[in-house]
Amino acid sequence: MSRSDSHRPRLTFLPRLHQCFVLSCTLLFSIVSYCSQTVTRPLLPRRPSCSATTALISLGSLLLLVCGLWLLVTIFWLQAPSNSVPHRAPPPRGSPGTGGGDGGRALPEPQACGVVPEAWRFDCYPERGVVVTRELCEARNCCFIPASSSPPALGRNGVPWCFYPPGFPSYSLVSVNATDLGQTGTLVKTVKTYYPKDILTLQLGLLYETDNRLRVRITDPSESRFEVPIAVPKATEKASSPAYSVELSNEPFGIIVKRTSTGAVLLNTTVAPLFYCDQFLQLSSSLSSQYIYGLGEHRSSFLHDIHWNTLTMWARDVAPTELTNLYGVHPFYLAMDEGGTGTAHGFFLLNSNAMDVVLQPGPAITWRTIGGILDFYVFLGPDPTSVIGQYLEVVGYPAMPVYWALGYHLCRWGYGSSNATWDVVKNMRNYGIPQDVQWNDIDYMDRSLDFTFDPTAFSTLPGMVKDLHSHGQRYVMMLVWPGLTWWYDNLKRFHDKVPFDGLWIDMNEPSSFVDGSTVGCPDTELENPPYTPGILGGLLRAKTLCASAVQKTSSHYNMHSLYGLLEAKASARSRMLGKRAFVISRSTFPSQGQYSGHWLGDNRSHWKDMYTSIAGMLTFNLLGVPLVGADICQTEEELCVRWTQLGAFYPFTRNHNSIDQKDPPAFSPAARSAMKQSLLLRSSLFPLLYTLFHRAHTHGHTVARPLLFEFPKDVRTYGIDRQFLWGKSLMVTPVLDPGVDYVVGYFPQGLWYDYYTGDSIRSKGEELRLKAPLEHINLHLREGAVIPTQRPNTTLFVSSGQPLHLVSSLSEDGSAGGELFWDDGESIDTFETDQYAHVVFTVVKNTMTSEVLHDHVEASYITVETASFYGVKMEPTRVMVNSHDAAFTYRANQVRLGVRSQRLSVF
C-alpha cells in the first residue's frame, strides 16, 4: 500500500454500503406505500389485501432488519482493531490457479482472500499516487479487502487493501542439479505479470560458501544483467558442516532456510510470489522475529518498526528526515531470532538499483528493486557479533584509521577567511581545549571550485596549515566533485600548494541543484520505469543526474548509489601522502568502511537530532563503517554541552557549525570547562579506542556497540538506543533531554562500576536513575575488564606518547582481562606487515600480568605509570611490584598504585 494509499478511506467502501442500504429501503418503502394505498381507496376494485399485504409488509420488515444489521456489523468490523494474537507465518502457498495470459486468469475466490491474515497481506498495488479501487486491484487478479485497522499515521503505510491471493502465479522449479558448491536449478513461469518484460525462465544458484554463509543467485540465463561491481569472496569448495539447511519448494518456487541447531526458519520466500521483470524484481520472505536492525541509511530508531514500514533506498541529498531515503544505501539487516535465545542472523541483498524494502508485522519483509539481479547472502552468526563479522568478510573489513582521525575535529561553514579560521585555532590552544584537526567548508574555495582557494580571503591558508603541522595538528578540506576531473593529478597539484592531511567528500550522492539536466532528460524507460520506489521527489532524477546518463561502467540508473563509494575509493587508494588516508564521505554503500568514514549529514541541532544520532552511529557500526559520528553543537549552550559530552564518545568526533554559530571558546566559562573536560576524557581513552578500531579492522567487530551485542539473551536490551558501549566493557549513558540533572539508564544483569569513582552497582537487569549535573556524563565499566588509558593532552600527537594508566574492573572471583594494540599510528598495513605491538593484560588471583603477544619497537615506548583496581573488597596489607613493596592508596572498593613495570601483584 502506498503512502498516498494510507489515506484511502473508507470512502470507497462505505458509500457502496450506504447505496445498498438506500436502494433496499427505497424498495421496501415502495412496497409498503403501494399496499397501504390499495387498502384505503374504496372507489377502485378491491384487491386481495389481508394475506398478500401482510406477507409483503412482513417481507419488507425482515429485509429492513437484515439491511440494518448488515450496516451495523460492517461499521463495527471496519472500526475494530486488528487481532492482537501474534501472527505466525502461513504455510507454503498452494499451486497457482489455472488460466493464462495477462489478466486472463479468473478472479480469486472471496473465501480464499478472506483467510489471509492482515499481517500476511503482501501489497499487489504498491504504486504511489494512486487511490487503489476494487477495479484497479482486480485488474491485477488480486484480492481487494479494506483493512479493519484504523488508518495509519500521515506518511506511513498500512495494511494493503489490494493483496496477492493464495495461488497467485509465480515461478516453478522444474529442475535441480548438484554442483561442486551447492545446487543449480531452472525456474519457469507461464503466466505473465502486470509489469512489462517478464523474464519467464530464470537460473537459480545455491552456493554453500562457508558453514555460516549461504549465497543465492537468481539470474537471467539468456542475457547478462547489471551486477554491482564490488569485490566479494569466491568460494572454492562447498561448506562441509553448514549451520543451515535449505529446502526448495517446487510449485510455487520458494527457498526455506533453517538453522540446523534449532530448526528456526530464517528465510521463507514461499509467502508471496516472486517477480522477475526487466525493471521490477520482487522477493518476499518471512522474518524470524520483529527485531530488525540495519537497512541504512534512514533516520529512525535503532530497532526498526515492522508495522508496515517502507524503507526506500536511493542515495539522496536531503537533511535527515523520517520516512525518507537519505545519503547512503545499505541493503543489509541483522535479525535477532525469536524467543530471547540470543541467536541472530543476517541478510544482504547485493543490489544498487533503487528499491523499496517493506517491513510488515507478519513479521515479513519484501525487497522490491527496479534493476540488476537477485543476489543475496544469509549469515548464520549465531550471535550478533559473528553476523557482522561474516557480513564484513563479504564486503570488506574497515580500514585502520590514522591515529589523529580519533581526535577532536573542528569545522564551520562561514569562517570567511583563513585568518578567522586561524584565530579559532589559537583560541582553542589558549583555553587548553583539545583539538587535533581543523577543517574548512566550501567557503575556502575560489568561486566554489574544487582544487582552488580564495586568493584574497584565504591567502594565508598555506601558512595556517604549516602552523597546524608545527603543533602536531592536521588540516582537512572539503571537495564536492563538481564535474569531470583527473582526481589524483588534481589532488597532488593542490597538495603542493596547501599540504592538506585529509579529504571531506560531500554532495556525492551525487547531488545536483537541477533535476537531471538543464536541458531535461530523455523520455526513456530508464527515466520513467514502470515502477518507481518511494524516492523523495518521486523521480529518479530528483536532485541528481538523469538516470539515462552514461558512466564508465553502466548507466546512472544502475550506478547512482555507488557514486560516493567509488569517489571514496579513488581518494583513499591514491595514497598520495604515503600514509593512511583520511576520507570522510557523506554518501556510502557496502564496503565503504574500507575507504572512508562517514558523518551523519546535516541536522537541525535539536535535542531529537542528538538522540537519533546514536541510532545512526550504531547502525553504521553494523554496516562496517565504524568511523562515524554526527555534527556536534551548532546550537544553544546547554544542548552544546550535552552534545559535546555525547560526541566525545562518537568514534568520529567533529564539531561542525554554520555561519554565525559559536566555537567552543566563545561559550561561557562553565560551558567551556565542561566541554574541555569531555574532550580531555576522550583523549585519555585513546589507547582503548585505538585498540577497538584494530579489532574492527582485523575481525569486523563494532567499536560503538549496542547493548544487545553483549547481552543478546536480555530482550530488554533489544530496543535500547539511548545508551551504548565502547567495545564490550565501557557503557555510556548520556543526557538527551533539556533541563535535567539526572538520567535513567538500563544496567544488564551483573556487576558494574562507576568509571570515575569505582563505586559498584549490582544489577538484576534494571533501570537506575543516575545523577547527571551539566558537567558530567555517566560512564560505567562492566565487570571483568582491563582498559588502557593515558594522561591526556591537547593533541593526540602529545598524549599518545604519555604513560599508561590501567583500570581494572574485577569480577566476583577477582578476575579481569584486556588488551592494547599499538603501532606508529599512520603507516599503511602495519598489522599485515607485522609492524605493531600487541599486549594482553590479565588479573587472576590478586595478580596482574602483562604479556607481549607480538613484539615490536613500538612496545618499547609503552610504559605503565599507574593502575587502579575496582572491586577489591578488603584493604590489602601489601602491594608488590616485581617482588618489591609499592606505595598504594585504598578507598572503599578500590586500590590505586603507582608502578614502573609489566608485572603487578596485589595481596
Side-chain angles (χ1 to χ4, degrees), residues 557-613:
Y557 183 90
N558 294 322
M559 297 293 291
H560 169 82
S561 294
L562 293 165
Y563 207 81
L565 168 66
L566 297 179
E567 184 187 12
K569 185 176 181 179
S571 302
R573 286 200 164 178
S574 68
R575 296 190 171 181
M576 184 179 57
L577 306 181
K579 300 176 181 178
R580 295 176 206 165
F582 175 78
V583 181
I584 292 292
S585 176
R586 189 168 73 172
S587 186
T588 60
F589 191 81
S591 78
Q592 190 84 28
Q594 294 186 72
Y595 312 109
S596 82
H598 172 61
W599 97 103
L600 296 174
D602 300 325
N603 65 64
R604 297 175 179 83
S605 301
H606 297 157
W607 288 89
K608 183 177 181 180
D609 296 303
M610 179 169 64
Y611 156 65
T612 59
S613 73

Side-chain angles (χ1 to χ4, degrees), residues 379 384-394 397 622 699-701:
F379 307 102
T385 296
S386 299
V387 170
I388 301 307
Q390 291 155 13
Y391 169 58
L392 297 185
E393 286 176 358
V394 171
Y397 291 153
L622 266 62
H699 293 81
H701 290 181

Side-chain angles (χ1 to χ4, degrees), residues 676-693:
K676 175 181 176 179
Q677 293 307 312
S678 297
L679 298 176
L680 287 171
L681 176 60
R682 177 186 177 88
S683 179
S684 72
L685 290 164
F686 171 73
L688 169 64
L689 183 59
Y690 196 66
T691 300
L692 293 175
F693 268 98

Side-chain angles (χ1 to χ4, degrees), residues 12-26 67:
T12 304
F13 188 54
L14 284 179
R16 291 179 178 173
L17 290 175
H18 177 69
Q19 291 165 5
C20 175
F21 174 72
V22 171
L23 289 173
S24 301
C25 292
T26 301
C67 195

Side-chain angles (χ1 to χ4, degrees), residues 102 171 189 191-202 220 274-280:
D102 297 73
Y171 289 86
K189 186 196 301 198
V191 179
K192 292 184 177 181
T193 67
Y194 41 84
Y195 290 110
K197 299 183 180 179
D198 284 90
I199 301 172
L200 299 178
T201 300
L202 300 173
D220 181 354
L274 169 67
F275 280 67
Y276 209 117
C277 307
D278 184 44
Q279 291 181 276
F280 187 88

Side-chain angles (χ1 to χ4, degrees), residues 831-894:
F831 176 74
E832 291 76 6
T833 58
D834 292 332
Q835 305 298 305
Y836 69 94
H838 185 199
V839 183
V840 172
F841 305 102
T842 306
V843 180
V844 178
K845 296 181 179 179
N846 293 338
T847 300
M848 170 180 255
T849 58
S850 60
E851 181 182 4
V852 179
L853 295 186
H854 191 278
D855 201 1
H856 186 258
V857 65
E858 290 296 328
S860 64
Y861 305 135
I862 302 172
T863 60
V864 178
E865 184 176 54
T866 56
S868 295
F869 299 86
Y870 296 161
V872 180
K873 300 172 184 177
M874 297 178 61
E875 182 173 1
T877 56
R878 298 174 64 191
V879 174
M880 302 186 68
V881 177
N882 285 350
S883 302
H884 298 285
D885 286 331
F888 68 94
T889 60
Y890 181 82
R891 60 176 297 275
N893 208 41
Q894 178 188 160

Side-chain angles (χ1 to χ4, degrees), residues 414-473:
Y415 281 123
S417 70
S418 51
N419 283 339
T421 310
W422 205 340
D423 286 342
V424 171
V425 173
K426 293 173 182 176
N427 284 335
M428 294 286 285
R429 293 173 188 162
N430 291 338
Y431 285 110
I433 302 174
Q435 183 191 5
D436 286 275
V437 191
Q438 180 62 49
W439 296 45
N440 274 120
D441 207 314
I442 197 171
D443 51 319
Y444 81 91
M445 297 179 181
D446 182 14
R447 293 165 294 155
S448 298
L449 297 175
D450 282 345
F451 310 114
T452 67
F453 65 93
D454 187 325
T456 302
F458 281 81
S459 60
T460 59
L461 182 59
M464 184 193 78
V465 174
K466 183 178 180 180
D467 175 70
L468 287 168
H469 289 169
S470 69
H471 285 82
Q473 295 171 299

